[in-house]
Amino acid sequence: MKKSNPWALLPVLVFAVLYLTIGIVFEYALKISMGFYNVPIIVVFLIAILVAFLQTKGKTVEEKFAIMGRGVGDKNIVTMLFIFLLAGIFVGVVGRSSAESVAYFVLSIVPPKLAVLVLFLVSCFVSTAMGTSVGTITLLTPIAVAVASASGFSLPLCVGTVVGGSMFGDNLSFVSDTTIAACQGQGCAMKDKFRANFAIVLPAAIVTAVLILVLSLRTEIKPFEIQPYRLVEIIPYILVLIGGIAGVNVFLTLIGGILSGAVIMLVTGAVDFPSLLAGMGSGAAGMFETAMVAVLVAALCELIRENGGFEALLSGVRRIFRGKRAGQLGIGLLVGAMDISTANNTVAIVMANPIASQMAEEYGITPKKTASILDTFSCIFQGFLPYGAQLLVAVAAVNEMGQSVSAFSIIGNMFYPMMLLLSSLVFIFLVPERQERD
């Protein structure tokens, strides 16, 4: 057991202050579009690592690198990196036009009165299939704007419904980087985390659907035009979803999705072979920053652990959160604080993972539940950040459609994250303990 040393947590504070300060200046002072996502997060992490490096006393330079290498070489980190790459290739292969096909297909078979409910259900499905909330918002927000303009539903309601639904899959999907990070960080199988997570999200999704339905039935609307669609392209998504739920090895599941997607896209003529390879490359490259952050966080956390930072944090947690249920809330608030600091729920999970593992061991919380709490609370906090990618992308997409909406008006119509928070608290504090055991 390392001696408790609160000063060892200084690198985390340095990172948070630098990232938030630069992000605020970029976003609000310099008016740079997506300002927080223009912050060189890798550079900021390197500065934090330098602080931790200098704090590590009594070690040679080689010994300090050996400590960092111990963290980076962890089996879960290595596995996480490869899953990130395969998930990126999968999305690069299947493309994103299939998401629009799902949306227009469902909209074509239901009454116009249920259009907003359909937007929510499609957002949930597409985000679960694609594993990305930002990608889902990018694809479906133009559809939401078109539905609002043509039907009479309010624009903030339609857009807020899409943003809220996108967090469903971000939290639950087998190819979501948050799921990958949480499961690998806690050493649990994705199917186990999915089952624990599903018990939390299902009530939230049902209540959200009922709320949207009630609002929809009170609104006077008119029919709208349905664009052409092609459903065969969703088959790879369905195969990955089925494989994940069935407990098939995640590598085999993703490889199967990549191969089936490649065959379908080539046979249907959606892409040619060079474009397919380019999609694979760009998909993998799109995961570079996420993978690099995972490596840097692993190195940083190992230095902090060596210097007694984790023990100091755990000592504070023990004083504030007493008992297993309070410990679960502590894990949720921990990852929430990381998310507020980074505006990136995947980074927040990666940073919180090692501390959450020790907290889970301290309070007797199972790995699948810890992974579920990390993923769920990170998505709850991320969904409500006005400077987070989800809301920034949504507002930008609305502006591109010639409309205008504020982030805060969207937040007021994001019923799903609100219900997810309520469901999570009920699950933690009110569900009998015997129902939570493996």
Side-chain angles (χ1 to χ4, degrees):
M1 186 69 69
K2 297 292 181 182
K3 184 178 179 181
S4 176
N5 177 20
W7 279 107
L9 296 170
L10 179 62
V12 177
L13 179 62
V14 169
F15 170 83
V17 170
L18 280 176
Y19 186 88
L20 282 174
T21 301
I22 298 173
I24 290 171
V25 170
F26 279 9
E27 186 75 33
Y28 301 108
L30 301 180
K31 304 295 183 182
I32 296 175
S33 177
M34 298 287 289
F36 276 88
Y37 286 80
N38 279 285
V39 177
I41 192 170
I42 291 176
V43 175
V44 180
F45 266 119
L46 285 173
I47 294 172
I49 287 175
L50 177 61
V51 174
F53 199 86
L54 295 174
Q55 281 186 310
T56 308
K57 306 297 184 182
K59 304 285 185 182
T60 65
V61 172
E62 288 76 14
E63 289 172 333
K64 293 177 184 180
F65 276 109
I67 292 170
M68 290 191 289
R70 188 171 63 211
V72 174
D74 183 88
K75 176 181 72 70
N76 291 327
I77 297 296
V78 175
T79 305
M80 186 191 307
L81 296 177
F82 279 100
I83 296 175
F84 278 150
L85 291 175
L86 283 177
I89 292 172
F90 172 73
V91 174
V93 165
V94 297
R96 297 180 174 181
S97 60
S98 55
E100 295 180 354
S101 296
V102 173
Y104 285 121
F105 167 70
V106 180
L107 285 169
S108 70
I109 61 175
V110 300
K113 199 85 170 175
L114 303 180
V116 179
L117 179 60
V118 168
L119 283 174
F120 174 67
L121 297 177
V122 169
S123 298
C124 291
F125 175 81
V126 169
S127 58
T128 302
M130 294 179 63
T132 165
S133 56
V134 173
T136 300
I137 293 166
T138 302
L139 288 168
L140 298 186
T141 297
I143 299 176
V145 174
V147 168
S149 299
S151 67
F153 284 113
S154 79
L155 181 58
L157 173 63
C158 292
V159 177
T161 297
V162 167
V163 177
S166 74
M167 302 310 296
F168 177 94
D170 201 343
N171 177 206
L172 208 59
S173 174
F174 289 94
V175 294
S176 168
D177 45 8
T178 60
T179 296
I180 295 167
C183 290
Q184 295 305 312
Q186 299 306 311
C188 73
M190 287 191 180
K191 63 181 179 65
D192 293 332
K193 182 262 185 188
F194 178 89
R195 291 166 183 165
N197 221 157
F198 195 71
I200 301 174
V201 305
L202 182 60
I206 291 174
V207 173
T208 300
V210 171
L211 286 173
I212 292 172
L213 181 60
V214 170
L215 288 173
S216 298
L217 294 177
R218 294 179 177 178
T219 305
E220 291 295 327
I221 52 91
K222 54 188 177 182
F224 47 86
E225 183 181 357
I226 301 297
Q227 301 297 321
Y229 53 84
R230 185 165 52 185
L231 283 181
V232 67
E233 295 175 0
I234 73 169
I235 292 175
Y237 292 131
I238 295 174
L239 291 177
V240 168
L241 187 61
I242 292 173
I245 295 173
V248 178
N249 180 276
V250 63
F251 287 103
L252 296 178
T253 299
L254 286 171
I255 290 172
I258 291 169
L259 293 176
S260 63
V263 170
I264 289 172
M265 299 302 282
L266 289 173
V267 169
T268 59
V271 297
D272 55 23
F273 190 67
S275 298
L276 181 70
L277 292 179
M280 290 182 174
S282 62
M287 285 292 187
F288 168 76
E289 185 172 83
T290 301
M292 196 68 244
V293 165
V295 170
L296 294 176
V297 168
L300 175 63
C301 287
E302 200 61 30
L303 285 173
I304 293 174
R305 189 199 310 274
E306 178 70 21
N307 294 330
F310 283 5
E311 184 55 34
L313 187 58
L314 287 171
S315 297
V317 167
R318 292 186 196 105
R319 289 194 297 270
I320 299 172
F321 300 99
R322 300 181 182 275
K324 184 175 180 179
R325 294 184 185 276
Q328 294 174 56
L329 178 61
I331 291 173
L333 295 177
L334 168 69
V335 75
M338 298 292 188
D339 188 62
I340 291 172
S341 300
T342 62
N344 186 311
N345 47 346
T346 304
V347 175
I349 292 172
V350 173
M351 291 179 69
N353 259 329
I355 304 171
S357 294
Q358 292 193 228
M359 290 175 65
E361 185 176 351
E362 178 85 15
Y363 290 100
I365 305 169
T366 61
K368 69 178 183 180
K369 182 178 290 185
T370 306
S372 175
I373 292 171
L374 285 170
D375 200 348
T376 301
F377 274 83
S378 74
C379 288
I380 291 170
F381 278 84
Q382 182 70 21
F384 288 120
L385 291 180
Y387 54 87
Q390 287 75 11
L391 285 169
L392 292 175
V393 167
V395 171
V398 172
N399 291 338
E400 289 176 5
M401 297 289 290
Q403 302 284 340
S404 178
V405 69
S406 73
F408 293 100
S409 66
I410 295 174
I411 290 173
N413 288 275
M414 287 169 53
F415 304 127
Y416 177 70
M418 299 176 192
M419 294 303 105
L420 184 58
L421 175 59
L422 179 61
S423 180
S424 299
L425 295 175
V426 169
F427 187 78
I428 289 173
F429 290 106
L430 299 181
V431 173
E433 195 68 21
R434 66 178 181 276
Q435 296 182 19
E436 301 176 348
R437 292 173 184 161
D438 291 321

